[in-house]
Amino acid sequence: MFEESAAEHLYVHVPFCAKKCAYCAFYSEAGSGQLVNRYVDALLRELQLVASDLEPKTIFFGGGTPSLLNLAQWERVLDTIRRLGWNNAAEWTVECNPATVSLDKAKLLRDGGVNRISMGVQSFDDVLLDRLGRVHSREMIFKSFDILRATGFDNVNIDLMFAIPGQSLASWRQTLAEAKALGTEHLSCYEVIYEEDTPLFEQLQAGAIEVDEDLACAMYDELLLAAGDAGFQQYEVANFARQTASALADVPDCACRHNVNYWRGGAFYGLGPSAAGYVRGVRTRNWSNTTKYCEELERGRRAIESAEELSPLARAGEIAAFGLRMTSGWPLEQFQRRTGFDLRQEWKPEIDRMMQLGYGELNQQRFYLTNKGLRFADWVGAEFLRS
Ligand SMILES: C[S@@+](CC[C@H](N)C(=O)[O-])C[C@H]1O[C@@H](n2cnc3c(N)ncnc32)[C@H](O)[C@@H]1O
Ligand code: SF4
């Protein structure tokens, strides 16, 4: 069931941000220059440690804010990737914050082999950007996007958020229209999640925010309409991409291949503090502590806090849940090849229930969620988990 060959996907976590956003629970901090340098040293060591078992077709630098690394730090990272022979990866994404994209940095990344940028735009409305605690302004979005295009990036994603406290349907429509006008190849749109231990969560607990479920549903419907109208094909709950060739495919050709591998339950290495990985049936997680991460690598070993091998059924349940987030759902044969289980047989009660609710459809080839089901994909996925 598990690939014996080298892993083909690499995630690198960069745990630094200029300032923490009000809603964000990802592991990141405002690091000093010295800590960032120490992190880069450690990361280069970790890359060397896994190199013999990795031939990446996709690389994803996420965070945190990878674009916060300075030119000298990026030069060192790019140089190591080049020496490992990975700079021609078919898809190499770097996440950027619009406040930290300079012409020199964009050029350095593009020349180094990075061919996809994911930019955390969140909203085109300055008031909402402020509400979210973002460091960038509306103006910086356009400036950064122009820089990316001028330096040859022809595969750009923007992240947007909806159901932001204080956001009206009209403001969301306006943001979607501006996203369309920007003309990116990819769009990721996330409904706000109130994560524990964030200022937004505290405001919710204190009664300062009212959640309007109906408005959130209306915004999601609006998103589906606007994205389709702008020529995007939805391929996952929150992800939309352009289809440049005419052939109908399971995923549009501008889809993020790296993330498709996650949703299909494939293997990947995860490096950097807090990063998760999954190789040969073993799920690992690195320490969510940058100093501890650096110390471990300075001792010459990986900074793995936990490693766990799930039972085949538990893993299959997880894989079912991930894959159902995709509009194409699970091709039954592919699921069986990947997990060894027959989706229709093992999850019959769940499949029947989802069909009764109008959340799922089953045919000879696949089981997939309807638009209504995709809206509640987190809940549906949880129903497929097995201990
Ligand atoms: C890991 S962040 C990295 C992007 C980059 N650090 C930035 O924010 O510019 C990826 C995306 O997740 C989304 N996100 C993060 N926290 C979220 C939350 N609590 N609710 C909804 N979306 C969230 C945001 O759209 C963000 O751009
Ligand atoms: S959303 Fe992005 S920029 Fe904001 S704190 Fe999280 S990782 Fe950092």
Side-chain angles (χ1 to χ4, degrees), residues 306-370:
S306 62
E308 156 182 46
E309 193 166 353
L310 295 181
S311 73
L313 182 61
R315 180 61 192 161
E318 245 187 36
I319 292 177
F322 285 148
L324 289 177
R325 301 184 64 82
M326 297 184 67
T327 51
S328 54
W330 263 115
L332 302 166
E333 261 180 41
Q334 192 185 356
F335 183 82
Q336 177 129 24
R337 254 184 284 122
R338 174 125 275 171
T339 66
F341 290 93
D342 183 337
L343 188 71
R344 269 171 309 190
Q345 215 177 316
E346 201 64 45
W347 283 272
K348 185 170 183 335
E350 287 79 9
I351 289 181
D352 288 346
R353 184 147 165 244
M354 295 312 156
M355 296 207 314
Q356 273 161 16
L357 288 168
Y359 286 6
E361 296 269 0
L362 178 68
N363 62 28
Q364 292 292 326
Q365 284 79 40
R366 61 183 72 230
F367 175 62
Y368 61 94
L369 299 189
T370 58

Side-chain angles (χ1 to χ4, degrees), residues 79 118 125 142 151 191 228 292 320 341 348:
D79 187 50
S118 177
D125 181 333
F142 299 114
T151 46
E191 179 174 348
K292 169 94 178 151
F341 290 93
K348 185 170 183 335

Side-chain angles (χ1 to χ4, degrees), residues 13-14 16-28 63-65 95 97 120 122 132-135 161:
H13 192 77
V14 181
F16 304 107
C17 289
K19 176 185 151 217
K20 204 72 201 159
C21 300
Y23 53 86
C24 180
F26 286 96
Y27 177 65
S28 69
T65 310
E95 280 184 344
N97 182 307
Q122 321 309 353
L132 292 171
R134 299 290 301 183
V135 290
M161 290 170 76

Side-chain angles (χ1 to χ4, degrees), residues 90-363:
E91 180 187 282
W92 181 357
T93 305
V94 171
E95 280 184 344
C96 289
N97 182 307
T100 51
V101 179
S102 70
L103 190 65
D104 287 348
K105 212 178 281 178
K107 196 167 173 334
L108 182 74
L109 293 177
R110 188 70 195 93
D111 291 346
V114 176
N115 53 22
R116 185 172 183 273
I117 294 289
S118 177
M119 195 157 66
V121 165
Q122 321 309 353
S123 173
F124 286 89
D125 181 333
D126 272 329
V127 174
L128 293 179
L129 287 173
D130 198 43
R131 182 81 181 78
L132 292 171
R134 299 290 301 183
V135 290
H136 74 270
S137 64
R138 168 189 164 78
E139 200 190 325
M140 288 178 196
I141 300 169
F142 299 114
K143 216 172 128 202
S144 300
F145 186 72
D146 287 347
I147 288 176
L148 294 176
R149 287 301 199 217
T151 46
F153 283 101
D154 58 5
N155 192 0
V156 177
N157 167 61
I158 58 170
D159 289 339
L160 296 176
M161 290 170 76
F162 66 95
I164 302 168
Q167 186 180 34
S168 65
L169 191 57
S171 153
W172 176 230
R173 276 200 192 111
Q174 179 66 20
T175 280
L176 288 169
E178 299 210 61
K180 174 182 174 181
L182 207 57
T184 56
E185 286 67 37
H186 196 284
L187 194 60
S188 300
C189 296
Y190 304 104
E191 179 174 348
V192 168
I193 300 171
Y194 291 88
E195 302 275 8
E196 267 182 55
D197 296 328
T198 62
L200 214 60
F201 182 77
E202 280 163 25
Q203 291 162 27
L204 181 74
Q205 294 293 91
I209 295 174
E210 236 173 78
V211 174
D212 185 340
E213 258 304 312
D214 292 340
L215 181 59
C217 280
M219 287 183 175
Y220 188 68
D221 290 343
E222 196 65 34
L223 164 64
L224 298 189
L225 276 177
D229 177 53
F232 287 108
Q233 186 180 320
Q234 183 183 23
Y235 67 103
E236 195 263 355
V237 176
N239 285 282
F240 304 79
R242 290 199 189 282
Q243 176 73 24
T244 51
S246 57
L248 274 180
D250 249 14
V251 295
D253 45 23
C254 293
C256 175
R257 307 283 147 175
H258 185 83
N259 286 340
V260 168
N261 177 63
Y262 289 146
W263 296 316
R264 286 288 175 236
F268 62 97
Y269 270 99
L271 311 189
S274 82
Y278 177 71
V279 178
R280 290 187 197 87
V282 179
R283 187 164 56 192
T284 57
R285 183 169 286 280
N286 277 356
W287 287 100
S288 298
N289 176 324
T290 302
T291 303
K292 169 94 178 151
Y293 170 80
C294 293
E295 283 168 1
E296 291 294 295
L297 281 143
E298 285 155 9
R299 292 192 184 107
R301 55 188 186 224
R302 287 199 61 202
I304 295 176
E305 182 189 13
S306 62
E308 156 182 46
E309 193 166 353
L310 295 181
S311 73
L313 182 61
R315 180 61 192 161
E318 245 187 36
I319 292 177
F322 285 148
L324 289 177
R325 301 184 64 82
M326 297 184 67
T327 51
S328 54
W330 263 115
L332 302 166
E333 261 180 41
Q334 192 185 356
F335 183 82
Q336 177 129 24
R337 254 184 284 122
R338 174 125 275 171
T339 66
F341 290 93
D342 183 337
L343 188 71
R344 269 171 309 190
Q345 215 177 316
E346 201 64 45
W347 283 272
K348 185 170 183 335
E350 287 79 9
I351 289 181
D352 288 346
R353 184 147 165 244
M354 295 312 156
M355 296 207 314
Q356 273 161 16
L357 288 168
Y359 286 6
E361 296 269 0
L362 178 68
N363 62 28

